[in-house]
Amino acid sequence: MTHVRTYCPSVRVGNWNEDLCLEEDALKEFLERKERGELAVQKVAFLKQNILSQVNLSVSKDGGLRFGDVVMLVNMGGPNRECTTVSINADINSLTKAPHPVIQAPCGVSAGRSVQPCTRTAFIITSVDGSPEGSALRYEQSFALKTTSGFAGGLYLTSDLRTFQKCAKKSRLQEVSLDEDRSFVSWWKIVHFDPQERLEYEGRPVPANVMVLIMHCKTNQALAVLGNQVLWTTYGNEYEVTAHTFLDSHKAEKDNNHWVLSTSDPAGEGLLLLDRPQSAAKATELTQADAGL
């Protein structure tokens, strides 16, 4: 026997009044949340609008890095990695509540594939030893890397010895994150990428836009990006960032640990990224200028 439909949607059966009230209440709650900007899609749009807003990097007129400079930490990539930047890995759960939402600590970082200067990728070179703003940053000198003020919250790039409870999510190596703590765990130093030349360059000014190592002062581990550890973020698939020194057969650091502190081109043509052969020449030129030669 063919099934015969005995009622239509307008027929009131069962708990029809309760169902109708629930639908009305759900719609009312939805409209109220929409007016307050509390919907998930609104929060994501607000987050991206603010964290992806453009930031002007510092212009290095003499080719050197100085305290107070706004830079990007760029890894030029490798055989299995694209060119990436250290980026704030914030989601809607990382924001404080209205009326002034900002990124709250602690917050993760990742290696984003978009090499564009914005709130998410900009860091300020900050003094930790009393060096005045505008003075030259030197090899082996301690400093901190701070996010921009305002929406980014002015958080410090930090790391510490790994434990069972605190380590990188994918690789289980030493974690790198953003925090309000400006203590020893947020201190870093620049080391020349060539192990055979580090003694000669110790104490000399650090050139901008050249290949260097960024070492964590407390643990003596190098900042690294892992091409084989992919994280899903609000901004797409990105690489995990950790503090771990990767050595090759010659006891030299691999390209996972090679970073460029990128500034803006003095000519105003955007980012200035130098390759490795140019890096040594740029460092020598800056050293001679500092010595008055």
Side-chain angles (χ1 to χ4, degrees):
M1 180 177 179
T2 306
H3 175 72
V4 178
R5 191 170 183 178
T6 59
Y7 63 92
C8 62
S10 62
V11 177
R12 297 175 176 178
V13 296
N15 298 327
W16 62 270
N17 190 44
E18 289 81 353
D19 294 339
L20 183 61
C21 289
L22 287 175
E23 291 179 4
E24 293 176 351
D25 291 343
L27 178 60
K28 182 179 179 181
E29 181 183 2
F30 171 81
L31 295 176
E32 290 177 349
R33 291 180 59 195
K34 182 180 179 181
E35 291 180 359
R36 296 194 300 265
E38 295 180 354
L39 298 179
V41 64
Q42 292 175 310
K43 291 182 178 179
V44 171
F46 175 82
L47 171 65
K48 291 186 175 181
Q49 179 182 359
N50 286 272
I51 204 170
L52 300 179
S53 60
Q54 183 177 356
V55 171
N56 294 324
L57 301 182
S58 299
V59 176
S60 179
K61 296 181 180 180
D62 63 352
L65 293 174
R66 300 185 178 277
F67 289 104
D69 282 354
V70 181
V71 299
M72 287 198 315
L73 309 182
V74 181
N75 184 282
M76 300 304 292
N80 301 317
R81 294 190 327 279
E82 301 175 31
C83 181
T84 55
T85 59
V86 175
S87 307
I88 303 172
N89 188 12
D91 55 22
I92 58 176
N93 297 319
S94 303
L95 300 180
T96 58
K97 295 183 178 180
H100 303 292
V102 295
I103 298 173
Q104 61 181 346
C107 180
V109 295
S110 58
R113 304 179 189 182
S114 176
V115 188
Q116 296 295 330
C118 61
T119 302
R120 187 175 182 235
T121 58
F123 288 87
I124 303 173
I125 300 176
T126 307
S127 171
V128 297
D129 58 2
S131 299
E133 186 170 326
S135 60
L137 175 66
R138 300 179 180 274
Y139 285 104
E140 303 286 348
Q141 183 179 10
S142 299
F143 67 99
L145 290 165
K146 183 176 69 172
T147 61
T148 55
S149 58
F151 185 78
L155 305 178
Y156 293 91
L157 191 70
T158 65
S159 187
D160 206 347
L161 293 170
R162 63 173 179 172
T163 63
F164 288 111
Q165 293 78 22
K166 188 176 179 64
C167 58
K169 294 181 180 179
K170 292 282 187 176
S171 63
R172 315 302 294 177
L173 297 174
Q174 186 172 311
E175 184 182 39
V176 176
S177 61
L178 295 170
D179 209 334
E180 298 174 342
D181 192 2
R182 195 185 172 183
S183 64
F184 191 42
V185 296
S186 63
W187 290 20
W188 303 83
K189 62 182 179 181
I190 300 295
V191 176
H192 197 275
F193 81 95
D194 189 345
Q196 297 181 352
E197 299 185 16
R198 286 176 188 166
L199 288 178
E200 289 80 359
Y201 278 90
E202 185 174 349
R204 296 183 180 181
V206 180
N209 308 301
V210 301
M211 208 79 69
V212 295
L213 301 181
I214 305 176
M215 305 294 298
H216 189 241
C217 292
K218 179 179 178 179
T219 61
N220 202 37
Q221 293 292 332
L223 187 68
V225 55
L226 307 181
N228 59 341
Q229 302 294 345
V230 179
L231 303 174
W232 187 92
T233 71
T234 307
Y235 319 93
N237 291 336
E238 299 183 342
Y239 302 128
E240 186 171 64
V241 174
T242 183
H244 185 81
T245 306
F246 292 90
L247 300 176
D248 59 20
S249 58
H250 300 286
K251 300 298 182 182
E253 290 79 10
K254 296 182 179 180
D255 53 18
N256 304 73
N257 300 126
H258 293 169
W259 296 92
V260 173
L261 278 74
S262 178
T263 60
S264 184
D265 185 357
E269 298 176 354
L271 299 181
L272 180 62
L273 298 177
L274 302 182
D275 58 19
R276 188 171 303 181
Q278 291 176 304
S279 301
K282 190 67 177 179
T284 303
E285 177 184 341
L286 183 63
T287 302
Q288 292 176 348
D290 183 69
L293 298 178

